[in-house]
Amino acid sequence: MYQSPARVFARLGATGPVPAPSVIMGRAVVLGASVAGLLAARVLAEHAEHVLVVDWDELGAGTGHRAGVPQGSQMHVLLPAGRDQIDRWFPGFSRQAVAEGAVLLPAAARRSYLDGRRKVPGSDVDMIAGSRPFLEELLRRRTLELPNVTLLRGRVTGLDFTGAAVTGVRHESATGPVVTPADFVVDATGRSSRLGHWLEQGGWERPPMRRMAINLHYATATFRRTEEHPVPVAVLAGCTAAGGDIAGAAFSAIEGDRWIVMLGSYGDDRPGRDADDLVRRCREDFPPEFARVVANEMLGTVRTYRQADSRRRDFHRLRRLPAGLVAVGDAVSSFNPIYGQGMSSAALHASCLSEYLRSGADLSRPAREFLALQRVVVDAAWGMSTSADLARPSVPGPRPPGYRISRWVADQITAASVTDPVTARRFDAVVEMRRHPNSLAAPRTLLRAVRVNQARER
């Protein structure tokens, strides 16, 4: 029976108790110990006798920045939708994170600006903040506490297929080439995934890939934090396309008595390439809270990151797909990180995997039911990020049919969210991935936004 994307999205984001375990397979193998991979392993632990996670990085206790996550030094945001799902699968995760140093970000202590104008409060949901290595290390620790989950260091080199199913994972280990038999395989190797190549090697189709050039540049630095309970504890200063190619800036308190500060821009504008440049831009181009944060001692150096494009692999379009194989996280859809949707999308992909496996999945057939669920999440995140990117003068497009109308609707909602608390709450619920984007196109929401904007212009 057909269900609207908004209903499916709401169901996937539910926070009820985890269903009772039901073992339906022997060994599951997860490729990559990323956030997406770890969450997939947690779900698979309910349904497999043994879950093996294979990753090339050396992942011991306290692992910091690692090669497999090149953007790991940049500012990351765990949106409420992602936090809810992680707390669901790992009860007490948020409390443990705060106890070990993560910072609670109450809604009342956060501020947002748009084009220099302070926005009215919208979201009433508390968040937690920590660096990507901190959050990932805690998630990895909790995953590996499960008795049937094992982490193996190895470089995956391919897949084995027998008949119409994947049956093994080939990887290089310290002792040489190994083939590990598998009843189910999850690719979580990120935006550089080679799954398409491995499928072609095995006589299958390569999933079509969509690319949209964005040419995004990040610059991130950390500063010493002396206040125990600062207000504001986090600030987001966004810039619309009216500001050209400046995407905006953000800062947040994180573990280790630090502030993390991020600047982002598009095209030829390279933000904060050295310490003096970053500090100057924070003082001159953004609200005064930024100047107060960067007045502290900088810890380490400015770290930069460039993402040339957003990528989406449409596995659901494949006519032929082997059984026992799915992909999650950036291996499916890697969009503009400026919107902070990555970790939360990965958490919702895990929710898709859980619903698929506990719904009587036939593992001898391609996982098309999973792909249908995952497509709802991917469409939502991809649509939000690419629509906003296409408003930028340096993003070449192409613009899809109907883009002007959808852009006008988005601009009306965004503008009204600056001054109208009701619109701000609805807008933030979508940005935080707690509600489907279609909710913003509801007639009552759009009509209210138009009236708010007209009243402001009088």
Side-chain angles (χ1 to χ4, degrees):
M1 184 175 66
Y2 171 80
Q3 284 193 319
S4 70
R7 286 184 177 272
V8 174
F9 194 86
R11 190 175 74 240
L12 293 171
T15 57
V18 173
S22 58
V23 176
I24 58 174
M25 67 185 82
R27 179 188 285 115
V29 180
V30 178
L31 316 181
S34 60
V35 170
L38 294 169
L39 289 168
R42 172 64 187 91
V43 170
L44 288 166
E46 301 290 307
H47 302 282
E49 294 175 359
H50 180 231
V51 180
L52 177 67
V53 182
V54 183
D55 196 286
W56 180 241
D57 284 336
E58 186 68 55
L59 299 175
T63 300
H65 301 298
R66 59 190 186 93
V69 188
Q71 77 280 19
S73 62
Q74 303 302 311
M75 185 176 184
H76 279 68
V77 177
L78 180 57
L79 297 176
R83 177 187 173 186
D84 286 347
Q85 290 304 307
I86 292 175
D87 276 334
R88 179 184 181 221
W89 290 104
F90 298 98
F93 179 91
S94 292
R95 291 193 302 273
Q96 183 178 358
V98 172
E100 295 189 13
V103 179
L104 185 68
L105 307 181
R110 304 194 306 266
R111 293 178 188 170
S112 293
Y113 292 82
L114 185 65
D115 291 336
R117 300 171 62 203
R118 184 171 172 181
K119 299 182 65 173
V120 296
S123 172
D124 59 357
V125 180
D126 293 345
M127 299 185 184
I128 58 171
S131 67
R132 169 65 180 259
F134 174 90
L135 294 171
E136 189 175 292
E137 195 275 335
L138 176 56
L139 188 60
R140 183 168 60 248
R141 203 183 335 143
R142 289 291 300 266
T143 304
L144 295 179
E145 288 173 357
L146 299 170
N148 61 337
V149 178
T150 304
L151 176 64
L152 174 70
R153 189 179 186 208
R155 186 188 301 278
V156 178
T157 58
L159 300 175
D160 278 357
F161 302 93
T162 301
V166 63
T167 53
V169 174
R170 286 181 269 129
H171 52 95
E172 297 282 347
S173 68
T175 59
V178 178
V179 177
T180 298
D183 299 304
F184 198 85
V185 175
V186 176
D187 176 28
T189 55
R191 63 187 271 116
S192 59
S193 166
R194 291 179 54 78
L195 180 55
H197 174 68
W198 297 332
L199 285 169
E200 279 192 331
Q201 280 187 327
W204 301 88
E205 297 176 83
R206 179 189 290 265
M209 182 190 290
R210 294 186 236 176
R211 292 177 184 256
M212 193 179 85
I214 56 174
N215 198 21
L216 176 77
H217 302 274
Y218 261 17
T220 296
T222 56
F223 294 81
R224 190 176 305 283
R225 175 168 55 87
T226 57
E227 308 97 321
E228 185 175 358
H229 301 292
V231 177
V233 70
V235 173
L236 170 64
C239 300
T240 64
D245 281 333
I246 299 175
F251 71 75
S252 172
I254 61 170
E255 80 281 358
D257 298 321
R258 294 177 295 165
W259 295 105
I260 187 166
V261 180
M262 179 278 293
L263 277 65
S265 65
Y266 295 85
D268 295 330
D269 191 320
R270 304 291 180 91
R273 286 172 287 179
D274 57 50
D276 291 341
D277 186 28
L278 184 141
V279 169
R280 178 189 61 79
R281 291 192 182 212
C282 285
R283 287 174 173 165
E284 297 178 1
D285 300 339
F286 297 101
E289 295 95 332
F290 285 83
R292 290 197 290 272
V293 167
V294 299
N296 293 283
E297 175 192 2
M298 183 181 288
L299 305 174
T301 61
V302 176
R303 295 176 179 264
T304 59
Y305 174 71
R306 174 177 180 263
Q307 184 160 313
D309 57 21
S310 294
R311 302 178 185 179
R312 174 173 175 170
R313 296 175 174 91
D314 287 330
F315 287 92
H316 65 276
R317 295 183 183 276
L318 291 176
R319 293 169 299 173
R320 295 177 59 248
L321 183 70
L325 178 65
V326 301
V328 295
D330 284 359
V332 178
S333 184
S334 170
F335 26 74
N336 189 336
I338 201 81
Y339 308 113
Q341 300 167 317
M343 290 191 288
S344 294
S345 290
L348 289 171
H349 289 189
S351 181
C352 297
L353 183 60
S354 174
E355 179 165 325
Y356 165 67
L357 291 175
R358 60 185 165 84
S359 64
D362 182 354
L363 299 186
S364 68
R365 300 174 60 84
R368 297 201 180 277
E369 296 87 352
F370 166 81
L371 296 177
L373 294 169
Q374 186 184 56
R375 183 181 177 185
V376 172
V377 177
V378 172
D379 282 350
W382 180 265
M384 282 191 288
S385 65
T386 57
S387 176
D389 288 339
L390 287 170
R392 299 285 169 178
S394 63
V395 174
R399 274 70 179 167
Y403 174 76
R404 288 187 178 182
I405 295 175
S406 63
R407 188 68 252 160
W408 179 84
V409 171
D411 288 344
Q412 291 292 320
I413 300 293
T414 301
S417 73
V418 176
T419 58
D420 179 48
V422 174
T423 305
R425 283 195 297 274
R426 294 171 182 171
F427 178 82
D428 285 355
V430 170
V431 170
E432 295 169 353
M433 300 191 76
R434 293 184 289 122
R435 296 286 301 277
H436 192 275
N438 285 357
S439 64
L440 292 179
R444 66 188 180 107
T445 299
L446 179 57
L447 182 59
R448 182 184 184 93
V450 171
R451 287 173 174 170
V452 166
N453 295 331
Q454 288 176 340
R456 188 184 65 248
E457 293 170 359
R458 291 193 185 113

